Amino acid sequence: DADVTQTPRNRITKTGKRIMLECSQTKGHDRMYWYRQDPGLGLRLIYYSFDVKDINKGEISDGYSVSRQAQAKFSLSLESAIPNQTALYFCATSTSGTFGTQYFGPGTRLLVL
Amino acid sequence: GESVGLHLPTLSVQEGDNSIINCAYSNSASDYFIWYKQESGKGPQFIIDIRSNMDKRQGQRVTVLLNKTVKHLSLQIAATQPGDSAVYFCAENSGGSNYKLTFGKGTLLTVNP
């Protein structure tokens, strides 16, 4: 969905390196999310943000941090990457309504060597 | 704990046939359900949603059925086409505020010409 963009689309890094994944959206949504997807495990929530000043941990936040620079931008950082963080990472957005559907970006494929 | 699961991890159908993808959920308090389609190399794409006060909802070639008695959700695709080949996920909102979606692991649908 071109309304939600992620950069980079692919990244290879080494253990111990710091990396940042970026997400931008033009949907005007207040809420943004970061997920990781692993084979056989489905999508798991890392962090979510209801607005610029509201950031919350998801079920697997250890080893990750986030920054909500603006309503439209939400970045995910791996301070010291490790091999088991190799995964597909997705950003998503939604409205603040009770039944707001989440819309996903195209994903970032990360390989940690 | 809360979980969303799928009865069949893979489904193979002939082009033109109808497809039915099933999903079981365990949280009777879930009030909103979504079906997503994920094609290879892309992010999950919203297909259709349904609220818990409904039993059925129809879209273009797709129908979602919700049976709250047995906590079962299904996605029906009419006249399945090769372009429908993808992984299909169900997701449930058990948090009430739509910040926490629990995703199933997905069913791979393959459409044979």
Side-chain angles (χ1 to χ4, degrees), chain A residues 33-102:
Chain A
Y33 312 79
W34 275 105
Y35 291 89
R36 66 177 279 175
Q37 186 178 43
D38 300 274
L41 295 179
L43 287 160
R44 292 182 292 166
L45 183 63
I46 305 173
Y47 271 95
Y48 60 100
S49 170
F50 281 179
D51 61 40
V52 175
K53 297 181 179 180
D54 181 39
I55 293 177
N56 306 277
K57 293 183 178 181
E59 59 183 296
I60 55 164
S61 60
D62 288 347
Y64 301 95
S65 63
V66 291
S67 175
R68 185 82 184 266
Q69 300 95 326
Q71 186 205 34
K73 296 185 182 296
F74 192 35
S75 60
L76 175 72
S77 294
L78 286 67
E79 297 299 327
S80 180
I82 56 177
N84 74 3
Q85 290 178 311
T86 293
L88 194 53
Y89 290 85
F90 289 103
C91 173
T93 74
S94 74
T95 64
S96 56
T98 303
F99 299 106
T101 301
Q102 291 186 22

Side-chain angles (χ1 to χ4, degrees), chain B residues 54-70:
Chain B
M54 303 171 67
D55 296 325
K56 179 180 180 179
R57 191 169 187 213
Q58 289 184 294
Q60 186 176 12
R61 282 201 306 119
V62 294
T63 301
V64 55
L65 299 177
L66 176 62
N67 186 331
K68 294 181 287 294
T69 301
V70 295

Side-chain angles (χ1 to χ4, degrees), chain B residues 43-98:
Chain B
Q45 176 186 0
F46 169 83
I47 301 174
I48 192 168
D49 58 0
I50 188 168
R51 301 183 186 183
S52 59
N53 62 352
M54 303 171 67
D55 296 325
K56 179 180 180 179
R57 191 169 187 213
Q58 289 184 294
Q60 186 176 12
R61 282 201 306 119
V62 294
T63 301
V64 55
L65 299 177
L66 176 62
N67 186 331
K68 294 181 287 294
T69 301
V70 295
K71 290 183 283 188
H72 184 267
L73 192 69
S74 68
L75 176 70
Q76 300 179 0
I77 305 174
T80 313
Q81 303 169 359
D84 294 326
S85 294
V87 175
Y88 290 82
F89 299 94
C90 60
E92 64 177 314
N93 173 24
S94 53
S97 60
N98 196 44

Side-chain angles (χ1 to χ4, degrees), chain B:
Chain B
E2 302 165 16
S3 66
V4 175
L6 296 171
H7 295 303
L8 297 172
T10 61
L11 178 64
S12 183
V13 300
Q14 292 298 122
E15 182 178 357
D17 288 350
N18 296 332
S19 302
I20 300 176
I21 301 172
N22 297 302
C23 178
Y25 64 95
S26 59
N27 188 348
S28 58
S30 294
D31 57 5
Y32 179 56
F33 304 86
I34 308 170
W35 278 102
Y36 287 94
K37 172 187 180 182
Q38 186 175 20
E39 297 176 271
S40 181
K42 297 183 178 180
Q45 176 186 0
F46 169 83
I47 301 174
I48 192 168
D49 58 0
I50 188 168
R51 301 183 186 183
S52 59
N53 62 352
M54 303 171 67
D55 296 325
K56 179 180 180 179
R57 191 169 187 213
Q58 289 184 294
Q60 186 176 12
R61 282 201 306 119
V62 294
T63 301
V64 55
L65 299 177
L66 176 62
N67 186 331
K68 294 181 287 294
T69 301
V70 295
K71 290 183 283 188
H72 184 267
L73 192 69
S74 68
L75 176 70
Q76 300 179 0
I77 305 174
T80 313
Q81 303 169 359
D84 294 326
S85 294
V87 175
Y88 290 82
F89 299 94
C90 60
E92 64 177 314
N93 173 24
S94 53
S97 60
N98 196 44
Y99 68 88
K100 189 176 186 299
L101 286 180
T102 302
F103 292 86
K105 295 179 175 55
T107 292
L108 173 62
L109 174 65
T110 301
V111 181
N112 302 308

